[in-house]
Amino acid sequence: SAQAAQLLVERGIVGLAIDTLSPDRQEDGFPVHAILLKKGIVIIENVAQADRLPAVGSFIIALPLKGAGLTEAPVRLIALTEKS
């Protein structure tokens, strides 16, 4: 929701990774995209196996494919965690 997106902005996030195709519904006019992208916050969609990461203490590296003039691109997403 727009309210959740605004809360995330206030908390100083640098990116949002979710396991769905979009944090918005088309019929709502994409308010989450508008709020986050206006602040330069990256949105990574359709992430698999995020539930395997710890709630705290991991780092994500997103490696997008190069392309001139793209507004979006597939990424190779790598998660780093401490060895247990």
Side-chain angles (χ1 to χ4, degrees), residues 1 6 15 19 27 29 31 35 44 48 53-54 56 63 71 82:
S1 69
Q6 190 57 46
D19 64 351
E27 57 267 22
I35 291 167
I44 302 173
L53 295 173
V56 176
L63 305 166
T71 59
E82 286 190 32

Side-chain angles (χ1 to χ4, degrees), residues 12-83:
I13 67 164
V14 296
L16 174 67
I18 58 172
D19 64 351
T20 60
L21 294 177
S22 177
D24 286 308
R25 296 182 320 162
Q26 183 175 4
E27 57 267 22
D28 293 338
F30 300 105
V32 174
H33 277 80
I35 291 167
L36 298 182
L37 296 176
K38 180 180 177 182
K39 296 292 185 176
I41 296 171
V42 174
I43 301 170
I44 302 173
E45 301 169 343
N46 208 25
V47 175
Q49 301 180 9
D51 59 326
R52 296 179 58 191
L53 295 173
V56 176
S58 61
F59 295 91
I60 303 296
I61 301 169
L63 305 166
L65 297 176
K66 278 181 101 172
L70 297 178
T71 59
E72 56 187 47
V75 300
R76 180 167 305 268
L77 195 61
I78 300 169
L80 304 174
T81 62
E82 286 190 32
K83 188 174 182 180

